[in-house]
């Protein structure tokens, strides 16, 4: 089963590993020197692949596209987006129903009712969904209506949330913090993994720097470094990474070439009217072109 | 009462304010152009003072010292610290019982039992306590054993937590995020304030920069800027701000001179043995000297 | 000729442009609202192409590879590198003879004699060279032995150097500052251009952030943004951008896909023995594979 | 004399120091493990004091104020400023005649003629001057008209300039780079010192971060850290450090309390009309009040 039991020793001194190895219930022992252990490639060399069911797989050997609006707004919006995704053979739809907003006066999402509607329409069409969870108390309610939980950049170090997500049997995509280091991202993944949930995705979405010409600074260095350090799949979010609609495409393609296992991108039928993030959201035509180009870039990468 | 009702309009266009002013139930109207409104000095010119009871007041016209260990460790530790604080006429003790830790394998605090012990000893001695709350589900349990809730740097934008803290009648100190802007800090305060809780403290604790010679970069520019923009008291945390024990004193004194309403500092009877943050923690002698000097600096500032 | 005369007006108020247009000697008038004017696409819509002679062209419609060691070390090193470049049809060799070093006790390069040797060998083999100039007094001596002057990241805002380079008739590649904004890079280019030298290349080489897992944070967002704002070619330096040899390839490929007009990369026959930057330098086999893959990626991009 | 000869060994391995000690001409040997050696307190425990003549001393045991305009503009401006400084017993006037400007179209200063006028008026009044030098070729011309050379934040790693300043017998104040580390600042000082010029001042002037509420982020952590690592005096520039006129005073006072040996501050008789930096420049009344308060703060610090 997915819920293995781990005994993670963190002793600072040398000790005789055999004193553990013969204890009853111990199946295997690994010695890992990183601060994160279970998510390290020193623990598990083979790369993790996540099977979402219905033939939708994320990780080594595949390239995943997750597309959809920043915020779920209406049934019509979901249906239009699903049609667009089906037309383009995209299997995972993104969309937020709980929106973290800097200002208390901004739109905070449709909540659980929106999620149920979102999930139902997608399931009927064979589309998997990824959506953000903001706090532990939401997990139980959301669990049956989510294929992948997303942990947002402001919650990367919400350790209580990570602890609780370690107890569920659904994949979790953890976004890098606003100014999070790669080591912190891996340690956050370690929270989830050490809780028993091995189904984890890492997501590079840009970091905060002094540069104001872009919304964030997309740090594609993160891709090869994370893939070297960890066995977990790495997703790139070019929409937040640059924050400017007309430049999402080149950054998505760059992410593919840097080695990403997938791209998550904001798409809306009328970006100008989106409830949030319209300035970095592609319309359906732009998105269709992007999917095709990303697949070509991925194919070239695989041929290397 | 503390729980006022606010109608905060966020219309983007000009409108006739008289159309609101004569509505029943409307007592007063303010027009504030900042993203944050209620915490702005344009809303409230007079500076906020927080009365913790028993003559302990924070804000304009006073200088507050909050001292104690990073983590609550034992009854003996609390008692030794309380004695030290009483000897030095310090009225507020800090100490964590829920510890946010980057790694899931680090000490995470004594929890609620530790908090009750911490609170009981302090109350018997007339000491007020400030301690960190990490998630909404902890608030109810903690409420009777806390004088000031602290929101840590990793939770500055945990909006669900802020929403819930907006509903309680206890002061809340919000630390600036790891790489949070001052505007974001004020907007986080706006979450709490707009929920009905006006008892808020802001805390500058250093930001993340490229410089590695110090743990964080203490941004004392924040002090005059926050005090200009907002009517809320501003506290400085030199312990996290520089992260090096021997330099805590000059940075604390600099914080006083920059205009801080108070200083929060890590103190332990044997810093070398502290469960966490020992490298930036003062011993009792160092702390006593610091309290005295801070008071002298504050007195000089008041004479200006 | 290359040395045009520009009259750049920077009046802040509206004025009647006809009062200038009819003055003797005025050929044409443009009104540009950016802080930089001559390097803006609002001044010149068509993208700049630089012709280095002998069929070596940089810019729109071509993809340029510049490869070679961080430091020029010996005649043998140059010859081995030239052979490698000829084998791979690479037309531009990079190599430093004046090395900016943080510590005064580090190797500072072979100087002018090294440059003459470098240039002679390359010219005999039809290879163009790019090398760093550190101060105005070096320009005259270097002029006859350089195909492209490089301005390093520590000199991006050395305005005297930029002024002097504005007076020469050789291309100049300006690297983005250690923590330079894109606007500052464009304004530095404006120094050179407004001095009369229109032959300018911009280079993204990574910026300084809090992340320490890589040497710098390669900001590929810079590529589409610079190409939108300016008509100048944009080169990417993945070697400095990530600083880790095994990850130079994915970042170079990402740079191509982001839209770079060329890649500058550190290559050495025995990186382990390089006088500087060995940890980020490819050996000849790694480099040959990279050239081929970059060309394939560029070809795919052109087909889009 | 000031021009000592140093033999700085940088061997990476252990060796028998006696093999050097008995060589002719070797007077003394120090082993220093920092990247910077001569400026380290491990080399020289006693703090450096700089004597500018006429009783003007900078460093341990004194507190220095350097005040004046960003740019030297006219004879009248200098005279009014000198009168103000004399009235307030300030002995060092700052003022730029060569101005580094991001845009080539901005005012670049009065140049050498302005410097001579500036120096003459000050010398007649017993005032010392500090002014920025931008490139090596200016040094010889400026030498007779300067009391302290300033190296600006964009030239902190202009190693040729530092090399040349190592050869003159005038004090040099090196500003920290725009995003320079403290180690880099000390290594830049090492360039000057190892060239033979021991008369060096370090200056913290704020660093570039993501925060846009202030012009720079004044990093007062730098003060105790630099004073621990080095024997050189440390000056704080609150004008550039926060960049907002009304907050220069609290930041200056914070700098004093953090342990600065002096403060350099922008002052102008009519800041609104200053040729540059007016938004961060104090008028004479504000400045007079600041001098008095800084001296009181320094006196308190000394009493500790």
């Amino acid at each position: 089963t997915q819920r293995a039991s781990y005994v993670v020793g963190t002793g600072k001194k040398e000790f005789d590993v055999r004193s553990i190895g013969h204890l009853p219930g111990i199946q295997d022992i690994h010695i890992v020197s990183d601060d994160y252990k279970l998510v390290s490639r020193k623990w598990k060399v083979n790369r993790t692949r996540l099977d979402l069911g219905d033939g939708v797989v994320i990780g080594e050997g595949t390239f995943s596209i997750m597309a959809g609006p920043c915020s779920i707004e209406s049934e019509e919006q979901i249906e239009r987006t699903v049609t667009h995704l089906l037309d383009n053979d995209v299997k995972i739809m993104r969309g937020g129903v709980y929106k973290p907003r800097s200002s208390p006066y901004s739109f905070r999402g449709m909540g659980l009712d929106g999620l149920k509607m979102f999930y139902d329409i997608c399931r009927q069409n064979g589309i998997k969904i990824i959506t953000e969870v903001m706090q532990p108390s939401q997990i139980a309610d959301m669990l049956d209506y989510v294929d992948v939980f997303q942990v947002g950049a402001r919650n990367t170090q919400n350790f209580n949330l990570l602890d609780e997500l370690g107890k569920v049997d659904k994949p979790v995509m953890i976004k890098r913090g606003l100014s999070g280091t790669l080591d912190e991202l891996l340690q956050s993944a370690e929270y989830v993994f050490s809780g028993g949930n091995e189904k984890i995705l890492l997501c590079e979405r840009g970091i905060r720097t002094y540069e104001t010409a872009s919304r964030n600074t997309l740090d594609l260095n993160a891709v090869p470094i994370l893939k070297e350090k960890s066995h977990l799949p790495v997703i790139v979010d070019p929409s937040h990474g640059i924050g400017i609609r007309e430049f999402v495409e080149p950054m998505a393609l760059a992410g593919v070439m840097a080695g990403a296992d997938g791209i998550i991108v904001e798409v809306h039928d009328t970006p100008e009217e989106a409830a949030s993030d319209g300035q970095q959201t592609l319309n359906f035509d732009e998105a269709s072109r992007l999917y095709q180009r990303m697949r070509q870039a991925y194919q070239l990468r695989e041929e290397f």
Side-chain angles (χ1 to χ4, degrees), chain A:
Chain A
T1 82
Q2 194 60 225
R3 303 281 190 85
S5 290
Y6 304 109
V7 179
V8 178
T10 57
K12 290 184 179 172
K13 296 180 186 165
E14 292 301 316
F15 70 107
D16 188 344
V17 73
R18 292 168 299 184
S19 64
I20 292 180
H22 68 268
L23 293 176
I26 294 291
Q27 185 178 14
D28 198 4
I29 298 177
H30 299 249
I31 299 183
V32 184
S33 55
D34 293 324
D35 279 342
Y36 41 91
K37 301 176 193 304
L38 303 171
V39 302
S40 169
R41 288 191 76 196
K42 294 173 188 160
W43 166 272
K44 178 162 172 278
V45 173
N46 290 333
R47 295 193 179 284
T48 292
R49 299 181 86 217
L50 303 183
D51 190 338
L52 305 188
D54 301 326
V56 182
V57 176
I58 302 173
E60 189 75 359
T62 73
F63 177 70
S64 301
I65 301 175
M66 309 172 184
C70 178
S71 299
I72 294 298
E73 295 161 12
S74 69
E75 189 171 346
E76 293 68 35
Q77 178 212 35
I78 302 169
E79 286 174 344
R80 281 193 298 269
T81 309
V82 164
T83 302
H84 160 75
L85 297 180
L86 289 174
D87 286 348
N88 287 278
D89 199 27
V90 172
K91 299 290 182 48
I92 308 173
M93 180 168 162
R94 61 154 292 154
V97 296
Y98 298 111
K99 302 302 304 174
R101 305 305 295 266
S102 302
S103 165
Y105 308 125
S106 301
F107 175 59
R108 300 207 201 174
M110 292 185 71
L112 193 59
D113 289 340
L115 177 62
K116 289 179 182 174
M117 182 172 64
F118 178 20
Y119 182 72
D120 285 343
I121 298 173
C122 285
R123 196 181 43 167
Q124 290 161 21
N125 290 280
I127 303 280
K128 303 295 174 185
I129 76 170
I130 177 170
T131 195
E132 178 162 355
V133 57
M134 284 179 67
Q135 59 176 325
S137 65
Q138 295 167 340
I139 296 176
D141 286 342
M142 295 175 72
L143 190 61
D144 290 340
Y145 308 99
V146 166
D147 296 300
V148 182
F149 282 107
Q150 176 180 311
V151 175
R154 286 173 184 76
N155 276 318
T156 310
Q157 293 198 309
N158 183 333
F159 303 120
N160 297 117
L161 181 61
L162 298 172
D163 272 342
E164 295 304 312
L165 289 170
K167 298 173 186 166
V168 304
D169 190 20
K170 283 280 171 76
V172 177
M173 184 174 86
I174 309 175
K175 288 196 157 188
R176 185 182 186 178
L178 284 188
S179 66
T181 65
L182 299 181
D183 265 12
E184 287 171 344
L185 177 57
L186 290 167
Q187 291 193 15
S188 292
E190 188 81 1
Y191 263 88
V192 178
F193 202 114
S194 65
N197 183 357
E198 302 184 0
K199 297 173 175 172
I200 305 170
L201 299 161
L202 305 174
C203 181
E204 162 61 32
R205 48 77 73 199
I207 59 173
R208 181 169 280 179
T209 69
Y210 63 85
E211 177 60 71
T212 56
S214 48
R215 180 175 177 181
N216 291 295
T217 297
L218 184 64
D219 177 14
L220 291 179
N221 284 349
V223 180
I225 294 174
L226 287 174
K227 290 188 70 81
E228 170 73 14
K229 291 194 171 192
S230 168
H231 52 81
L232 299 171
V234 177
I235 307 298
V236 166
D237 176 350
S239 306
H240 289 83
I242 191 162
I244 303 167
R245 179 179 172 183
E246 61 195 301
F247 304 140
V248 168
E249 178 177 307
M251 299 319 292
L253 295 171
V256 176
M257 233 47 190
D261 295 296
I263 297 288
I264 185 166
V265 62
E266 292 188 335
V267 173
H268 194 283
D269 63 329
T270 46
E272 301 73 14
E273 298 169 13
S276 51
D277 276 358
Q279 80 292 347
Q280 67 192 29
T281 299
L282 304 184
N283 67 28
F284 288 168
D285 284 347
E286 293 163 340
S288 297
R289 195 180 75 170
L290 176 61
Y291 306 146
Q292 187 181 358
R293 291 183 173 182
M294 289 196 293
R295 285 166 175 149
Q296 289 178 269
Y298 173 69
Q299 188 177 335
L300 175 61
R301 195 185 91 195
E302 286 298 284
E303 288 167 7
F304 284 158

